[in-house]
Each structure stands twice: as C-alpha cells, then as structure tokens.
Amino acid sequence: MIQTHLMPDGRTIAYRHTPGTGPTILFLPGYMSDMAGSKASAVFDWAAANGRACLLLDYSGCGQSPGDFADGMLSRWRDEVLSLIAAYVAGPVVLVGSSMGGWLMLLVARAIPDRIAGLVGIAAAPDFTAWGYDEAQKAQLAAGQTILEPNPYGPEPTPTHAAFWADGQSQLQLDSPIPIDAPVRLLHGVEDADVPPAIGHRLLGALRSGDVQLTLVKGGDHRLSRDEDIALLLRTLATFAD
C-alpha cells in the first residue's frame, strides 16, 4: 500500500513500507525513476517474503509524489530521504542506490553515519554533473539553461535543469576521501553505456571504508535489470542480515 509522508514545508512524499527484521533496506531510485521500477519492486517483494524491513519512496516530482521535477535537486531529495528515515526507521539502514541513487546514498550516509549498516550501489553514478556533460553543455547549464538529451528508456527527452546541475556540482564526492566506514557493495555492468565502469573504480578508491567490493557484471548494461542481475542484487542484500 502506498502511503504519504508530509515534509515540514508541505511537500508530500509517496512511500511504501514493510516492517520486518534486520536493517531496514531503503531503495533510492535513479534520475527520473521511481519506486515502481523493476529493481525496487523486486527488492520490496523479496524483503516482504523474507520478513525483512524495507522502505521505498518516490522523490518529490517523481512517480506518485506530487511536485515539479524541475524543482528536484540532490540536496532536496536527500532531505526527503532523511525525513523518512527519521519518521519510520528505528534502527540501522542499508541504503541501495541505483545510478543517481548511488550518489544520493553517499550524501545520506554522510548525514547519518551512525545509522548506516551498509551501502549497495547499482551502477552508482556519483558526480555525473562533472563527468556526464561536455563543456558546451556545462556552459549552457551554468548560464541557467535547461538541456535536453535523447532518452534511451522512453520517448521523451531527458531534461537536466540548471538548478539540479549547480546543486550537483556543490555535492561532488570522488575527488577527496569519502568518510564512510560501513561495508559497501558496488555492482556495475561491464557494458554500461551511461556510467563507465571506471566510475565504480573511482568510487571504490575514494571510500574510506576498508570493506568495499566492486563486482563487474559481464554483459550487464546500465540498468542491471535482467533476471540474473536482480538475483545478484538480492544475494548481495541477503548478506546484510544482522
């Protein structure tokens, strides 16, 4: 059942929650994605079937959460995630971040380090405002313009709004040590055309934790949503049982 969470400024955030044992698994979708996606749904169904606590959400302006997507920013969505954790999660959390959600999980973990039992990145894309655009596009964004790019996953072009880009540029992670000490598992497709596997290697090196594993998936693309990819994700989550 989808429920709604009220933010202090009146925003309402759609979420799903199933109680259970172990650290609460919190899935963070990617850019322009939502909790109805195949990976998020698979994680929630697995958690419910195995008596594990799990929380899904749609960021404001995405999925079933009202608002204008153009207002979305990493810092805004981070605060929404933190608000849901404070309201509905009593113990430790395992953050699962897909693509942009893998950047967001780092920001959330840095805000509440004592609550984090582990991180699982799926094609994690930290700092994509820095490496994902060419210089001409960055100049347009810096000038306050919105850029539109072809969307391989749908008919409408993918927008990047200037405010999102500027906020991302203020939240860069990879050029200095990331003060996260929890176990981290990174899953990355070798055939990822959107987030180069080299980003996974950079993230592995930047994390301060001594327990970081990067799994490269032969034949895997950016979405990592094949049956065998989802099975790998669920096996990975099962290791965070206590």
Side-chain angles (χ1 to χ4, degrees):
M1 181 178 68
I2 294 182
Q3 300 171 274
T4 55
H5 172 73
L6 185 64
M7 295 289 292
D9 66 356
R11 271 177 284 164
T12 56
I13 307 302
Y15 74 95
R16 295 176 69 194
H17 180 246
T18 182
T21 61
T24 296
I25 299 166
L26 201 166
F27 190 95
L28 303 175
Y31 190 75
M32 295 189 71
S33 189
D34 56 49
M35 62 180 169
S38 60
K39 292 187 291 293
S41 297
V43 167
F44 192 85
D45 291 346
W46 173 85
N50 288 276
R52 297 290 304 276
C54 186
L55 179 66
L56 308 183
L57 80 153
D58 286 342
Y59 315 128
S60 57
C62 301
Q64 299 197 47
S65 290
D68 188 342
F69 182 77
D71 294 330
M73 292 182 285
L74 285 165
S75 57
R76 178 182 178 91
W77 293 336
R78 173 202 61 205
D79 291 346
E80 292 167 4
V81 175
L82 291 170
S83 182
L84 264 73
I85 292 173
Y88 308 114
V89 179
V93 183
V94 173
L95 299 174
V96 184
S98 177
S99 192
M100 181 204 74
W103 189 354
L104 196 57
M105 76 178 181
L106 302 176
L107 304 181
V108 173
R110 293 182 71 146
I112 51 168
D114 294 341
R115 301 287 305 276
I116 303 302
L119 305 180
V120 179
I122 309 163
D127 298 13
F128 72 80
T129 53
W131 53 258
Y133 301 92
D134 62 32
E135 293 307 312
Q137 290 172 320
K138 290 179 182 179
Q140 289 178 277
L141 290 162
Q145 300 175 36
T146 297
I147 65 170
L148 301 174
E149 297 179 284
N151 178 5
Y153 309 114
E156 298 297 323
T158 299
T160 302
H161 299 284
F164 176 91
W165 180 81
D167 184 65
Q169 289 294 91
S170 73
Q171 310 274 1
L172 300 179
Q173 302 292 303
L174 295 176
D175 291 333
S176 58
I178 302 172
I180 291 172
D181 297 309
V184 182
R185 303 293 178 260
L186 304 172
L187 312 177
H188 212 116
V190 173
E191 306 301 326
D192 191 334
D194 298 306
V195 181
I199 298 298
H201 286 279
R202 287 183 63 191
L203 178 54
L204 179 147
L207 286 158
R208 186 172 68 189
S209 172
D211 185 3
V212 184
Q213 298 175 14
L214 170 62
T215 300
L216 296 177
V217 181
K218 186 175 182 179
D221 62 9
H222 180 60
R223 303 183 81 173
L224 284 181
S225 58
R226 301 171 301 174
D227 290 347
E228 59 265 41
D229 301 329
I230 290 176
L232 171 62
L233 171 60
L234 298 181
R235 289 197 305 272
T236 303
L237 287 175
T239 66
F240 294 98
D242 300 322

